Amino acid sequence: MATHDDDRPSPDDEATRLATTDSTDKQKSTGTTHPTTDPGKNVTEALTAISEELANGTSTVVAVGSVLKNRFVLEEMLGRGGMGVVYKARDLRKVEAMDRDPYIAVKVLSKDFQANPDSFIALQRESKKAQQLAHPNIVTVYDFDRDGPNVFMTMELLEGEPLDQLIRRLRPATLPAQQALSIIEQMARALAYAHSENIVHSDFKPGNVFLTSKSVVKVVDFGIARAAKNADRPAEDATVFDPGSLGALTPTYASCEMLEYGEPDPRDDVYGLSVVAYELLAGSHPFDRKPATYARDLALKPKRPKELSKEIWNAISHGLEFEREKRTRNATEFLKETSGPRQGRDNLLPKWAIPAAAGVILLLVITIGSLLFNGQNGEVQPEIVLQETTSLEPELRAKIESILEVAEVHMLVGRLLEPPGSSAYDAYQQILIMHQQNKQATQGLQQIGDYLAEQIRGLIESKQLQEGKALLEKGLDALPDHQGLIKLQQDLQ
């Protein structure tokens, strides 16, 4: 993400608090002493002092066994990359609270964040934004802090395997198509949610995607790449930092615009997403691991993998366009394209919504039938007819169509019932307040229930009974009349 001079925090900003040392000099994590930084100094002066520590060799060396902020005990190294080192850590606060699971992940960032004031400030700003990304396919970031010169982030602990390791382990073979497509969809949902929040990843690659032991995709390091600079390139797919700006990229996954120092844009993420999607489906890089600018100058064209549907191929090839103006606009559009061509508004919905159409029609028939003959002695009741949005007055129609667009984006990125106030369910309910018989909103709520029922069945089949019951309870609270959810409740009872 871009950083702007007018966004630079004042000395009273959170960055200043993190950039100044505590009044206690001694760091219990190592027993070493660091020079005390005057809290009155500005951010640049404080970080200059830290840089001098590094130059003088007095900085803390973090390793397994270290304790950061007298709280996080580093117990195991989980991985190392251009951004830093990730450790499994025991949170002593959780231990005190007798938490059954006191473990988290701690990412101790590389010296670029220690020695450069601008990088530190930018990272603090980016971390704040990352903490706002509450999505099932995005790793949860708890906090950003520093212990002496060591800058670190605390995150949820994941069990599984980074996607780059999985790809290397399988190469040149690939995952089963449906498994690969599930991973691609989850990655796209994570990016679509971030793009809807005006956040660009800027360094999307397999190394920043984690596949958990439960086959859930977690995208990591949102915005961190934009906050770093002046790093060396340690490995083939390592992030390369631009010494002239607060930016970073990985050449084999970066768009032409990124390689040519353009401003970050959601379409850059789409390029990286499309490269990763191609790798998962074809078992190789679309341009033989050549940077986009090189592939463009050579007029290289990716080969279509065998047995790949027209819709998926069109979505990936559109995302691989070298020119930003020709490329898919954002990850939400990528999801729409992978859904394939359908009529009307259904074109905006994910594939799982297709079979829901039959259920919607059946529900409407049952509902209308029950309304006709639900009185005492079988008397006929007035028929309730659902109305199209297009039948409304222009002003109301415009308002509802705008909310429908929002609801569809929520559906695409997986925000069905949560977060409260910003979900597809809330959007459709808002429409029904404005237009009680709205057909699109009624069908939308039915589709939410259908998708929840599908998720619950998947949880039950995978022996995750408690999780399935919890999701069913949420679903019935929101949609107490959904026949699919009611049937699941009866089956479980």
Side-chain angles (χ1 to χ4, degrees), residues 35-70:
T36 302
T37 304
D38 182 355
K41 292 185 178 180
N42 61 31
V43 174
T44 302
E45 291 172 338
L47 285 160
T48 298
I50 295 173
S51 301
E52 291 174 355
E53 291 183 18
L54 292 169
N56 296 331
T58 59
S59 64
T60 302
V61 176
V62 176
V64 172
S66 297
V67 181
L68 296 176
K69 299 296 287 187
N70 302 325

Side-chain angles (χ1 to χ4, degrees), residues 66-338:
S66 297
V67 181
L68 296 176
K69 299 296 287 187
N70 302 325
R71 175 175 178 178
F72 305 110
V73 183
L74 307 185
E75 295 194 350
E76 179 185 351
M77 189 180 80
L78 301 177
R80 182 188 298 273
M83 292 289 190
V85 183
V86 180
Y87 295 91
K88 177 181 179 180
R90 184 158 41 95
D91 184 349
L92 297 181
R93 297 292 177 273
K94 289 188 175 185
V95 172
E96 290 174 5
M98 301 183 69
D99 193 315
R100 287 186 176 183
D101 184 15
Y103 292 99
I104 63 168
V106 172
K107 186 162 196 171
V108 181
L109 298 163
S110 63
K111 292 182 180 180
D112 305 282
F113 299 96
Q114 300 174 4
N116 186 279
D118 291 334
S119 293
F120 187 95
I121 295 167
L123 176 63
Q124 193 272 341
R125 190 179 298 125
E126 300 299 342
S127 297
K128 276 190 175 181
K129 294 177 182 178
Q131 287 173 299
Q132 300 169 10
L133 293 176
H135 189 273
N137 296 125
I138 297 175
V139 70
T140 302
V141 176
Y142 299 136
D143 201 4
F144 162 79
D145 207 339
R146 123 177 124 68
D147 187 339
N150 296 302
V151 182
F152 65 95
M153 300 175 69
T154 55
M155 303 172 288
E156 67 173 310
L157 181 64
L158 303 175
E159 294 183 2
E161 181 179 24
L163 193 60
D164 59 342
Q165 291 184 15
L166 176 64
I167 290 174
R168 283 196 296 269
R169 181 162 54 81
L170 293 174
R171 191 181 291 159
T174 61
L175 291 168
Q178 288 305 314
Q179 186 178 354
L181 290 173
S182 173
I183 293 173
I184 293 167
E185 180 183 6
Q186 292 181 72
M187 293 189 301
R189 288 184 185 279
L191 291 175
Y193 174 70
H195 294 168
S196 72
E197 298 290 326
N198 297 316
I199 294 177
V200 181
H201 191 287
S202 292
D203 190 29
F204 190 81
K205 59 181 179 179
N208 282 334
V209 179
F210 197 92
L211 186 63
T212 73
S213 54
K214 294 184 178 180
S215 298
V216 177
V217 165
K218 295 281 189 176
V219 180
V220 304
D221 283 356
F222 267 93
I224 292 180
R226 295 297 304 174
K229 73 176 188 177
N230 294 330
D232 296 326
R233 182 182 181 183
E236 178 187 20
D237 286 336
T239 300
V240 176
F241 301 91
D242 167 26
S245 67
L246 290 178
L249 52 84
T250 304
T252 49
Y253 298 94
S255 66
C256 292
E257 293 80 11
M258 292 176 70
L259 292 166
E260 294 172 341
Y261 310 110
E263 287 296 312
D265 187 280
R267 287 167 290 189
D268 301 325
D269 286 347
V270 171
Y271 181 85
L273 171 64
S274 300
V275 174
V276 176
Y278 187 96
E279 283 188 301
L280 284 169
L281 294 166
S284 62
H285 189 279
F287 305 115
D288 195 27
R289 309 199 64 76
K290 292 180 175 61
T293 48
Y294 191 73
R296 177 195 61 193
D297 295 343
L298 291 176
L300 298 181
K301 300 287 184 182
K303 295 180 180 179
R304 178 175 175 175
K306 295 179 180 179
E307 301 180 359
L308 196 62
S309 70
K310 181 181 178 181
E311 291 80 16
I312 300 298
W313 173 242
N314 286 343
I316 291 175
S317 57
H318 191 190
L320 290 174
E321 289 283 355
F322 295 128
E323 294 182 33
R324 182 180 279 177
E325 296 305 316
K326 295 181 180 179
R327 199 178 308 136
T328 311
R329 184 172 56 178
N330 52 40
T332 302
E333 293 293 330
F334 181 91
L335 279 168
K336 293 178 186 178
E337 291 188 10
T338 58

Side-chain angles (χ1 to χ4, degrees), residues 411-429:
M411 293 282 275
L412 282 168
V413 302
R415 288 181 290 191
L416 303 180
L417 300 178
E418 295 179 347
S422 183
S423 67
Y425 174 81
D426 292 310
Y428 288 133
Q429 290 288 9

